[in-house]
Amino acid sequence: MPIYKAPANDTLFVLNNVLRLDRYHNLPGFEDATPDMIEAIVGEAAKLAEEQLFPVNLSGDQEGCTRNDDGTVAVPKGFKEAYDAYCQSGWLGLAVPEQYGGQGLPYTLHAAVGEYMSSANMALMMYPGLTQGAIAAILVHGSDAQKETYLPKMVEGTWSGTMNLTEPHCGTDLGLLRTKAVPQGDGSYKISGQKIFISAGEHPMTDNIVHLVLARIEGAPEGTKGISLFIVPKFMVGDDGSLGERNAVTCGAIEEKMGIHGNATCVMNYDEATGFLIGAENKGLSAMFVMMNEARLGVGLQGLSVAEIAYQNAADYARERIQGRALSGAKSPDKKADPLIVHPDIRRALLTIRAFNEAGRAFTLWTALQSDIAHRSGDDKDRQVADDLLGLMTPILKGVLTDKGFDHAVMAQQVYGGHGYIEEHGMSQYVRDARIAMIYEGANGIQALDLVGRKLGLNGGRAVMALFKEIGDFCEENRADDAMVVYTKSLKKGLNDLQAATMWFMQNAMAKPDNAGAGSTDYMHLFGLVVLGYMWAKMAKAANEALESGTGDADFYKNKLLTGKFYMERILPETALRKTRIETGADTMMEMAAEAF
Amino acid sequence: MPIYKAPANDTLFVLNNVLRLDRYHNLPGFEDATPDMIEAIVGEAAKLAEEQLFPVNLSGDQEGCTRNDDGTVAVPKGFKEAYDAYCQSGWLGLAVPEQYGGQGLPYTLHAAVGEYMSSANMALMMYPGLTQGAIAAILVHGSDAQKETYLPKMVEGTWSGTMNLTEPHCGTDLGLLRTKAVPQGDGSYKISGQKIFISAGEHPMTDNIVHLVLARIEGAPEGTKGISLFIVPKFMVGDDGSLGERNAVTCGAIEEKMGIHGNATCVMNYDEATGFLIGAENKGLSAMFVMMNEARLGVGLQGLSVAEIAYQNAADYARERIQGRALSGAKSPDKKADPLIVHPDIRRALLTIRAFNEAGRAFTLWTALQSDIAHRSGDDKDRQVADDLLGLMTPILKGVLTDKGFDHAVMAQQVYGGHGYIEEHGMSQYVRDARIAMIYEGANGIQALDLVGRKLGLNGGRAVMALFKEIGDFCEENRADDAMVVYTKSLKKGLNDLQAATMWFMQNAMAKPDNAGAGSTDYMHLFGLVVLGYMWAKMAKAANEALESGTGDADFYKNKLLTGKFYMERILPETALRKTRIETGADTMMEMAAEAF
């Protein structure tokens, strides 16, 4: 049977020792986030994840969702109860303004506990996850009336939300979308068209579902400039907030997919459904991007979440399963064999996963903190710097943590041998679930293009230059510290590769954009390797400081230093390979005729 | 709907231009393998794979196998018909001696066409695949009577075979196995115990199933020295070859697994089943290894097979699906968007897969040829050299082609975006099917250990030194050839990394075996990268020669050169990273306490 224990100590280490959240007590919402409060919140979240969400994870995968003939959808047993427990403790609105029923706490905290929830049950957490994206879009682009009508119910979780972008012929290229909106003269529109891959599109866990739908108003320009965003409620909402008649939006089918079986991924048919414009006409894409950016951080987090639970199970199995003998001689001579954990190759796999997870956690919370500063700081400069960083890190966080999250779920599965391939241990589920995170909210190739094609050159490269300086300064400042040498030396080398690759793009991709495309995925990973290395260097510094001060659990900090050292020795050197690949450019790959593939 | 077209031209290029099979006409079986004959065989195999096996691949995955209450097992619709078509055309016995009903043709040819079969339907091909392993063991270790009783029926496919190794508490470490064999005094034994993960353990496609079972004779020594191999037929066989009563071996359950749903993976219960010793008492493991070695090549081939069909579908999708515009400006301005194939990042993915597949095909056939020479040559020295190489290459071929085969099925799936995640396009199936190949017949970590712990040092490193010399000589001989520079230069660099890593093991792993374990997986991949690079260099030479001679399709050879260049530029440089990792050794990973993982 699978296990899961929320890594609360690791989270608290990042929040308190590395990010030092107490420094931000002057930001709105942070004044309540005292160390005691944070510890209590993290502890409660751990409990909910372990005791309510996790127990229905494997069964949810095996049972899946089914569409009944009447178009209603059944979710796995226990999902409704677990969902209710999540909502009733207020987790959905943790970072939402109090005005709409939220708790107004930092988004950083929301991300911290969100990791546990998705580890425990990724498919289930997609239901409130989509709601959170919809809340974000309504908060930014909705009218006051729309906010009052929809947000409180969504924040308490009695109504859920969805994002409706994809159509059968268009996913990434939304400019091709065909769903039509016809104005009715009363401020409403009739929406018609088909949307596919709609997560949480139909389910029985909430009283209403608030669909956010991209559509083209009759006569609007072609391409992305003619797309508007609409609210299409499953049940019409009266002026008093009461639910009225059923809207003409129905689930036509549930997709048969590789994983996240507990989530109802629906084909949604809009047949002159009543919708309401949100934001300005033809500005739907920018409104949708508010959801998208928040969702991308959430998806990156899913990569980490699944890799974390996969790691925990693999580590547990490696300690328990006896098979073969240590290369250096029997370690448990009283038993018929040694546990798998004696084998270096098993340790290599486990430490690789762990080194990414611990740095990935710091990376996620550091990025979430930029989001808080960008949205809550009273200082213009602070907001700009944080927003720059947030924009730059979003595609890297999404792309790298999900690519690696999947790779590492596979690596953890491998520790089980044949037992990893059968469904009862849960390892197959983690792999199958993790796979989608590389695809949705912009496939990782799109993240890489967003990075090299948009984010890198934005404002003359302001964001990237600032970050290079920050990392370079960190290396310089800690150069004389013997305890930091192993970290700063490798980090500096990685940074050099990243800077060289960035320079290469500047010199070779302006005139020939294919050179940027040819290196985009390698560049995203190169950047990720360096940022995660930076996180490790910061964690090593914090661990050294804690050890010096003599407070806390010395073994905990020593293991941090060891895991960080592993990252620096074995993982970060990959930057050189990525740089080499980038510098080969696009010529060879573009030379082959399309029909020759 | 998925597509598949057997890459016959690529196969023929390797057999005729690269390996120049006509040079071996003096080996038994090769005299019939004329170029015309080879082309005819390859063409027939392509037809069978495309027209009979492939059409029931996706449906077989979706339907899966079921165990009925009476212990019988149902396979997917159409499997029996496809299996019969395969057997009736004589494919099962292609390389089996004519004496037992086979065709006595080269194993190299068997491997060549085996690729197509597994591409078209991996799950189905496991049924005859297990039979072939059992045939190999009986051929080498069986008595004449056993050969006569079992082989002809197995070769014609009316009886199938299985390998029974794994028990719930032991997989890799067979020394722990508990299945018991009690001698009956009449030459037979009563076999009792439970075996798990038994592929093709029970099914209705053949009249009889010949289980090869590892068990411990009462009173035998503990560990691997007390294991014997037994034949346990599902139905007892009379002296006249007629089938008698049902033996006490039954399928207790079918495993729920991630993929290869069309294959019945069974829990097999032996309840005083009648068995017959094959080979000597307590020498079961070496008999089993005959099956195992052949099976490992077959599993490596599966990695290639699945990556090939995944590639073909992804390339097709990339040419057909229109989405977005080329970075360098619209390529299909008359359409609303360009096909995916205009994007460098898509080409990067496709060429990465293809560069491995084409080199993997050459690698497989080159290794299979060593097997033919080792088994059929009349020259002692030739046999020894080939056998050395075969032993050295087996773990690399199995480990590298299956690790990469899986990675590349995932990469191909990614080209489809969200459509890759739903089951109807087949991409999910390829990923789920490919996953098992990294695990069974010795998980890839075990392959890596076999390489560094056994194969590397065997006979004073004779095999590895001979291969290094062969590759070095190739680089030297072609050094002055301008058309070869891009290939030989990169290959030489990769070879240097491999030699340095090998030297590092010699200096650091003798006294401290954990250093070998810590670098084993990286070393296996480093070795694989260089061998595949060598294959590319040989293919480039053959392509250049063909271009010079002006025979054949020039575009075909030019694309070979281009794909090989891509491998040299983008993929082979990974050797440096692998070497760096190996040289960090085991210290960091062994320092962490087991309970801290």
Side-chain angles (χ1 to χ4, degrees), chain B residues 14-144:
Chain B
V14 173
L15 295 177
N16 296 331
N17 300 50
V18 183
L19 300 179
R20 295 174 44 211
L21 226 58
D22 53 1
R23 291 182 299 171
Y24 301 92
H25 58 83
N26 59 331
L27 295 189
F30 280 67
E31 64 275 9
D32 297 332
T34 60
D36 286 350
M37 175 63 129
I38 290 174
E39 192 170 342
I41 288 174
V42 163
E44 281 304 308
K47 210 165 159 241
L48 180 85
E50 294 163 8
E51 295 175 10
Q52 308 262 356
L53 308 181
F54 176 61
V56 291
N57 190 35
L58 184 61
S59 57
D61 177 63
Q62 288 166 353
E63 198 178 332
C65 297
T66 43
R67 178 184 176 279
N68 302 312
D69 289 342
D70 62 0
T72 60
V73 166
V75 295
K77 268 190 274 306
F79 264 42
K80 166 78 173 144
E81 292 75 10
Y83 174 80
D84 286 346
Y86 174 85
C87 295
Q88 280 157 14
S89 352
W91 295 108
L92 212 155
L94 194 75
V96 175
E98 291 171 86
Q99 182 184 358
Y100 301 109
Q103 300 187 54
L105 284 162
Y107 176 68
T108 308
L109 259 187
H110 170 82
V113 301
E115 181 206 320
Y116 306 166
M117 311 295 180
S118 287
S119 281
N121 199 324
M122 174 171 157
L124 173 58
M125 281 307 295
M126 290 176 64
Y127 296 92
L130 268 296
T131 305
Q132 276 149 351
I135 289 172
I138 295 173
L139 267 175
V140 176
H141 291 278
S143 65
D144 287 344

Side-chain angles (χ1 to χ4, degrees), chain A residues 173 319 413 421 435 597, chain B residues 173 319 324 413 432 435 597:
Chain A
D173 188 355
R319 272 190 303 260
Q413 183 187 30
Y421 197 66
R435 184 66 186 88
F597 275 88
Chain B
D173 188 354
R319 271 189 304 260
Q413 182 187 30
R432 291 184 289 95
R435 184 65 185 89
F597 275 88

Side-chain angles (χ1 to χ4, degrees), chain B residues 464-509:
Chain B
V464 76
M465 292 310 153
L467 181 60
F468 290 172
K469 182 171 184 316
E470 179 177 334
I471 300 176
D473 287 352
F474 181 94
C475 293
E476 194 55 38
E477 285 158 21
N478 293 282
R479 208 175 149 179
D481 184 349
D482 284 348
M484 287 298 291
V485 167
V486 63
Y487 307 96
T488 51
K489 215 175 136 188
S490 301
L491 178 58
K492 184 74 180 123
K493 217 167 153 188
L495 180 64
N496 287 345
D497 286 335
L498 177 58
Q499 287 177 310
T502 308
M503 186 62 76
W504 191 90
F505 279 141
M506 287 171 66
Q507 291 167 344
N508 296 280

Side-chain angles (χ1 to χ4, degrees), chain B residues 168-183:
Chain B
H169 63 288
C170 82
T172 299
D173 188 354
L174 290 169
L176 302 175
L177 76 78
R178 294 178 192 148
T179 296
K180 210 172 52 175
V182 182

